[in-house]
Amino acid sequence: MKATYFVIVLLFSDITLTSCFIIESLVCGSAAAVAVVGVWYAWSQWDNVLHFDHKRLEKDLNENLYGQHIVWKVVQKAVSSFMTDSNPNKPLVLSFHGTTGVGKNYVSKIIARNIYKLGDKSEHFITFISEHHFPHKDKVDMYSAQLKEKIHQHVLRFPRTMFVFDEMDKMNPQLVETVKPFLDYATHVDGVSFRHAIFIFLSNAGGDVINKIALDFWKAGKNREELQMNSKEMETQILRNIFNDKSSGFWHSSLIDRHLVDHFVPFLPLELKHVRQCVLTEMASLNISVHHYPDLADTVAREMPFFPSDEKIFSVKGCKSVRQKLMLYVDD
């Protein structure tokens, strides 16, 4: 057995890191096996990346995500298995679907704060908002070139970059196709590996389908927690809804027919009890004492609009605008 030691200097942008990697060659006849250790060490030392702990992620989701048991299960398993895989064969690609205010953006930030010490404030947490970053249809060629370059450069500098595409349903299909090569099983794209990157798509597409399935469950007298990914072929119905919506960025996108999205994750509409939990969370963040305002959470939650108009089961806006509504009841 022969051990050889090398010093490898890694150059990232204007930062130079020196890290020692032990490469041990085991020679047996003409065959040799090589193991390389320390890549993750270099990443973590450079950008204060957290040592990933699946139990920490599980605890975070348990304590801070309300009414989304399907999301909890899929995200916890998908992210944990990806983050602990030293040699993934493709980037992690998640597509979050549901109506406004149900937690799609919030969950992407929970994932970020379990990867980076700075959470969603990390320079490696990149967000694109369709109507903000790509507002003009006549500039789609320019946007496409810029998007391709930005994704490539971020991952070149740091492999464990996380990209969030908000309003994916409003994104121009040409831009969706621009993203596609980075999500595939290809070993490298223009000399760069994207296998350690994370892509998350946020979309309202499929939200009406998810709401109908949840309402049908409620009308049938079934427990909300009985609703799962395979209930009434939920994932299939979401995909069908996306394909039938010609205004959606996903429409006729090869992201779907090439199976590049790992999980289409449904976010259920929130009930009164979940909105109340959101109010309590906002009260805590604003240092509003429950002792001084014992009925405030119930009052604010009930002031939010609910549907259907007769039963008033699900929140129209989820937890969106809870903070603004709360401030109306608090003395200056």
Side-chain angles (χ1 to χ4, degrees):
M1 179 178 295
K2 180 181 179 181
T4 307
Y5 298 88
F6 296 89
V7 175
I8 298 177
V9 178
L10 300 179
L11 299 177
F12 294 101
S13 185
D14 58 341
I15 300 174
T16 303
L17 290 175
T18 303
S19 182
C20 292
F21 296 89
I22 300 175
I23 302 180
E24 183 180 81
S25 300
L26 304 177
V27 180
C28 180
S30 60
V34 179
V36 180
V37 203
V39 175
W40 176 251
Y41 172 80
W43 292 358
S44 62
Q45 293 300 304
W46 178 43
D47 192 51
N48 292 322
V49 174
L50 294 168
H51 173 71
F52 183 76
D53 183 348
H54 72 95
K55 289 189 177 297
R56 183 180 62 238
L57 173 62
E58 182 177 346
K59 183 174 183 290
D60 200 344
L61 290 168
N62 268 332
E63 294 179 352
N64 298 297
L65 182 62
Y66 310 129
Q68 301 295 357
H69 62 281
I70 299 176
V71 177
W72 181 95
K73 183 177 181 180
V74 175
V75 167
Q76 199 276 329
K77 288 188 174 182
V79 173
S80 294
S81 61
F82 179 75
M83 290 296 296
T84 54
D85 186 347
S86 61
N87 189 33
N89 60 359
K90 68 181 293 293
L92 176 63
V93 185
L94 302 175
S95 189
F96 293 169
H97 296 265
T99 50
T100 185
V102 291
K104 301 187 295 293
N105 253 305
Y106 187 55
V107 171
S108 68
K109 292 179 180 181
I110 289 179
I111 295 171
R113 69 187 183 218
N114 281 274
I115 296 176
Y116 312 111
K117 286 185 179 179
L118 295 179
D120 62 300
K121 300 298 189 293
S122 170
E123 63 178 312
H124 305 301
F125 179 86
I126 314 299
T127 300
F128 298 102
I129 303 172
S130 180
E131 293 190 334
H132 173 70
H133 291 99
F134 318 113
H136 306 294
K137 293 182 179 179
D138 59 338
K139 296 183 179 180
V140 67
D141 289 337
M142 180 187 73
Y143 294 150
S144 180
Q146 291 175 343
L147 180 60
K148 179 180 179 180
E149 178 68 12
K150 189 164 187 176
I151 293 174
H152 187 273
Q153 288 302 314
H154 272 287
V155 176
L156 175 64
R157 289 195 297 269
F158 192 74
R160 184 70 83 196
T161 299
M162 182 173 171
F163 300 96
V164 176
F165 291 81
D166 201 355
E167 301 177 344
M168 188 70 175
D169 48 314
K170 299 176 183 177
M171 186 174 288
N172 187 295
Q174 182 177 328
L175 295 177
V176 179
E177 289 300 303
T178 298
V179 178
K180 185 194 72 176
F182 304 113
L183 314 180
D184 215 331
Y185 292 83
T187 306
H188 292 83
V189 178
D190 295 331
V192 177
S193 172
F194 290 82
R195 291 177 301 137
H196 294 281
I198 298 174
F199 292 81
I200 298 181
F201 304 137
L202 313 181
S203 174
N204 289 340
D208 291 341
V209 169
I210 296 167
N211 288 355
K212 183 180 183 305
I213 292 173
L215 185 59
D216 289 345
F217 249 65
W218 179 83
K219 288 181 177 179
K222 296 182 179 179
N223 190 304
R224 179 188 180 92
E225 279 64 38
E226 293 179 48
L227 192 53
Q228 298 297 330
M229 282 282 281
N230 59 355
S231 298
K232 295 193 172 184
E233 298 183 332
M234 187 186 302
E235 190 168 17
T236 301
Q237 289 199 51
I238 292 173
L239 292 176
R240 187 181 299 124
N241 182 266
I242 292 170
F243 269 124
N244 291 336
D245 183 1
K246 295 184 180 181
S247 65
S248 171
F250 278 115
W251 186 60
H252 285 176
S253 167
S254 58
L255 291 187
I256 296 175
D257 55 32
R258 287 182 61 84
H259 307 290
L260 299 181
V261 177
D262 299 307
H263 303 284
F264 291 88
V265 188
F267 282 67
L268 302 177
L270 300 181
E271 299 176 9
L272 176 65
K273 61 184 179 182
H274 307 127
V275 178
R276 183 180 183 277
Q277 288 177 296
C278 291
V279 178
L280 288 171
T281 298
E282 288 292 350
M283 289 176 65
S285 70
L286 295 169
N287 294 317
I288 299 173
S289 171
V290 177
H291 176 72
H292 290 115
Y293 298 93
D295 301 319
L296 184 56
D298 287 321
T299 301
V300 172
R302 292 182 185 281
E303 281 294 310
M304 301 294 287
F306 288 81
F307 73 94
S309 56
D310 293 332
E311 295 92 342
K312 298 185 183 300
I313 302 303
F314 301 122
S315 174
V316 172
K317 299 191 292 183
C319 285
K320 202 166 189 176
S321 302
V322 160
R323 188 186 186 98
Q324 289 74 14
K325 183 73 71 174
L326 174 62
M327 297 309 295
L328 296 177
Y329 293 88
V330 179
D331 296 330
D332 294 333

